[in-house]
């Protein structure tokens, strides 16, 4: 008869084998598809394998990978111990799981029953208090590059304004477009003399510059050389400063282009796509969806306060369709942008 003391004697099982600096747990021992390797410097404790509510961690990882799992050590595919420990620390605990379950149940039943408390709000407050993963500060990372970019744009713009008489209209527009596209990076294509169809009068026309953003949406830009007295009158009409012909004419021109594009609609999208098929990416769609306009013209720094106030009223009148920007507005935007990036880089 077996000695009773032997019934309580410890029984040893081999669950891992030594392979260099790692303990290798064969896949069949932990019901994995791949072998598990844990470095000798990693303490083998229960919480390394099992999370809250006895959830086995390595089977979860095993389902997501296509090779053996390494934890710690210098293996090229190893998960650093600090990263793995961080994973364990951020694994949902029982309290969080209960909160989540209550929030989910409450969201379904609250339409039919009065619950004691707002469990969804409680769960959200818990998440707000919980420390979440914080990535790299991308603004700080790129601040020097952005500062250089906007400083260069400002210097270029001021240089152009100081020698505007040396530029032809076409040269001025081409140079300024480079600044605009960097200042408004959402636009990825700009097409000069873009052909459009005036279906209202059954004639062909062309837009000086057609802008297309990364979603394929079209906008129009009109660029005029920076004559100072082309915005509002110097004298009032019934106590108001009104737009000069250069401004009202340019606004009218842009509004007509927008009208033509909208009337052209789907046929216009297909026509533009065919016309620029060699200039746009494969599969890229050009869309005509309530195009907007940008007008860049004139100076406003020498306007009186009353003139500037009336000019602002004029701009806001068209704001839902057209953004009217003076060269002094561009300078101010660049200066504010530079100041912001300087604060981030210091």
């Amino acid at each position: 008869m077996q000695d009773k003391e032997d019934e309580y004697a410890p029984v040893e099982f081999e669950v891992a084998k030594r392979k260099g600096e790692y303990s290798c747990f064969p896949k069949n021992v932990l019901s994995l598809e791949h072998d598990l390797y844990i470095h000798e410097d990693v303490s083998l404790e229960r919480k390394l394998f099992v999370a809250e509510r006895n959830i086995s961690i390595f089977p979860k990882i095993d389902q997501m990978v296509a090779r053996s799992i390494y934890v710690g050590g210098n293996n090229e595919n190893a998960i650093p111990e600090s990263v793995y420990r961080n994973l364990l620390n951020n694994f949902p605990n029982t309290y969080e799981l209960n909160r989540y379950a209550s929030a989910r149940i409450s969201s379904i039943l609250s339409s039919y029953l009065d619950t004691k408390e707002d469990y969804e709000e409680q769960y959200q407050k818990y998440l707000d208090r919980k420390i979440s993963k914080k990535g790299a500060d991308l603004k700080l990372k790129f601040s020097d590059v952005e500062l250089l970019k906007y400083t260069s744009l400002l210097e270029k713009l001021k240089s152009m304004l100081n020698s505007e008489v040396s530029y032809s209209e076409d040269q001025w527009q081409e140079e300024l477009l480079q600044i605009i596209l960097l200042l408004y990076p959402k636009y990825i294509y700009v097409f000069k003399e873009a052909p459009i169809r005036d279906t209202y009068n059954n004639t062909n026309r062309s837009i000086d510059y057609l802008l297309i953003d990364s979603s394929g949406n079209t906008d129009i830009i009109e660029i005029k050389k920076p004559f100072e007295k082309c915005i509002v009158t110097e004298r009032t009409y019934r106590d108001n400063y009104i737009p000069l012909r250069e401004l009202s004419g340019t606004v009218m021109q842009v509004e007509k282009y927008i009208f033509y594009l909208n009337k052209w609609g789907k046929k216009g999208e297909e026509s533009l796509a065919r016309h620029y098929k060699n200039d746009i990416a494969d599969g890229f769609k050009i869309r005509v969806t309530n195009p907007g306009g940008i007008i860049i013209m004139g100076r406003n720094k020498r306007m009186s306060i009353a003139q500037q106030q009336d000019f602002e009223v004029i701009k806001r009148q068209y704001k839902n369709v057209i953004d009217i920007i003076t060269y002094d507005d561009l300078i101010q935007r660049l200066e504010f942008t530079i100041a912001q990036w300087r604060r981030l880089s210091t």
Side-chain angles (χ1 to χ4, degrees):
M1 186 175 178
Q2 187 177 5
D3 191 340
K4 285 188 178 182
E5 292 184 1
D6 293 338
E7 293 182 24
Y8 304 101
V11 179
E12 294 183 357
F13 296 92
E14 183 181 82
V15 295
K17 292 184 178 180
R18 185 75 172 186
K19 289 192 177 181
E21 297 179 344
Y22 288 88
S23 296
C24 174
F25 294 80
K27 56 187 178 182
N28 60 303
V29 172
L30 297 178
S31 299
L32 305 177
E33 292 184 12
H34 310 92
D35 292 337
L36 169 64
Y37 292 82
I38 299 180
H39 193 262
E40 60 185 5
D41 291 339
V42 179
S43 176
L44 296 176
E45 49 191 329
R46 182 182 181 278
K47 67 178 183 180
L48 194 72
F49 296 86
V50 180
E52 290 283 335
R53 298 189 176 180
N54 292 322
I55 296 175
S56 296
I57 299 170
F58 287 115
K60 298 291 184 185
I61 299 174
D62 187 58
Q63 293 173 6
M64 301 177 185
V65 299
R67 60 178 67 188
S68 296
I69 305 167
Y70 286 81
V71 178
N74 297 319
N75 185 280
E76 61 180 356
N77 297 314
I79 305 169
E81 182 182 2
S82 59
V83 172
Y84 185 75
R85 296 287 183 187
N86 187 56
L87 169 66
L88 297 180
N89 292 335
N90 285 281
F91 205 91
N93 55 39
T94 299
Y95 179 81
E96 182 174 341
L97 292 172
N98 287 335
R99 285 284 188 185
Y100 174 75
S102 296
R104 292 292 295 159
I105 295 169
S106 173
S107 67
I108 296 171
L109 297 183
S110 58
S111 299
Y112 307 96
L113 302 172
D114 291 331
T115 55
K116 293 180 180 179
E117 299 179 51
D118 189 339
Y119 294 100
E120 289 182 87
E121 183 180 1
Q122 289 181 359
Y123 179 63
Q124 190 56 54
K125 285 182 177 179
Y126 167 78
L127 291 181
D128 292 341
R129 291 193 301 268
K130 187 178 178 182
I131 299 174
S132 59
K133 180 180 178 182
K134 185 177 181 180
D137 189 337
L138 294 180
K139 280 190 175 181
L140 182 61
K141 185 176 182 179
F142 293 106
S143 59
D144 290 341
V145 175
E146 292 297 298
L147 187 57
L148 175 62
K149 180 180 79 173
Y150 289 113
T151 302
S152 301
L153 292 180
L154 181 59
E155 291 174 356
K156 172 69 174 177
L157 179 58
K158 286 184 174 180
S159 174
M160 289 177 64
L161 291 171
N162 288 334
S163 56
E164 62 178 277
V165 292
S166 63
Y167 290 87
S168 68
E169 187 80 17
D170 285 345
Q171 287 174 327
W172 182 270
Q173 291 173 339
E174 293 288 342
E175 292 282 332
L176 193 69
L177 265 174
Q178 296 178 36
I179 296 174
I180 295 301
L181 292 177
L182 288 168
L183 193 55
Y184 296 86
K186 74 171 186 173
Y187 295 112
I188 60 173
Y189 296 114
V190 55
F191 296 123
K192 186 177 181 180
E193 296 180 355
I196 61 171
R197 182 72 176 170
D198 175 3
T199 57
Y200 193 75
N201 295 302
N202 202 30
T203 57
N204 294 321
R205 300 183 182 274
S206 63
I207 297 174
D208 288 350
Y209 291 101
L210 182 69
L211 301 173
I212 302 178
D213 68 19
S214 57
S215 298
N217 297 309
T218 53
D219 287 320
I220 297 163
I221 185 168
E222 280 287 322
I223 299 172
K224 304 295 184 183
K225 292 191 74 176
F227 304 113
E228 288 194 13
K229 297 179 181 179
C230 64
I231 302 294
V232 296
T233 56
E234 290 192 0
R235 295 182 178 180
T236 60
Y237 173 75
R238 295 184 177 179
D239 294 327
N240 297 305
Y241 293 97
I242 61 175
L244 283 168
R245 185 174 61 181
E246 288 86 351
L247 174 58
S248 58
T250 304
V251 168
M252 186 65 179
Q253 184 179 31
V254 172
E255 286 185 317
K256 275 192 173 182
Y257 287 152
I258 292 172
F259 175 77
Y260 297 149
L261 277 173
N262 281 325
K263 292 288 286 184
W264 207 13
K266 188 68 175 178
K267 288 183 178 179
E269 294 177 348
E270 294 169 353
S271 179
L272 288 170
R274 285 194 302 271
H275 187 81
Y276 293 113
K277 65 179 180 180
N278 295 325
D279 300 300
I280 59 179
D282 292 340
F284 187 82
K285 303 292 184 183
I286 296 178
R287 296 182 172 88
V288 178
T289 311
N290 294 326
I294 300 173
I295 295 175
I296 300 175
M297 65 185 299
R299 308 293 298 267
N300 62 334
K301 66 178 182 179
R302 292 191 178 92
M303 287 183 185
S304 67
I305 293 175
Q307 282 179 308
Q308 290 185 20
Q309 288 174 339
D310 285 358
F311 177 46
E312 187 63 32
V313 172
I314 295 166
K315 288 200 296 183
R316 288 181 179 276
Q317 180 182 350
Y318 300 104
K319 191 172 180 63
N320 62 325
V321 178
I322 300 171
D323 193 7
I324 303 171
I325 306 169
T326 69
Y327 287 91
D328 296 303
D329 291 334
L330 279 181
I331 289 174
Q332 189 177 64
R333 290 186 188 189
L334 285 166
E335 288 176 340
F336 286 154
T337 303
I338 289 167
Q340 175 64 14
W341 281 112
R342 277 188 176 144
R343 278 196 293 271
L344 290 170
S345 64
T346 55

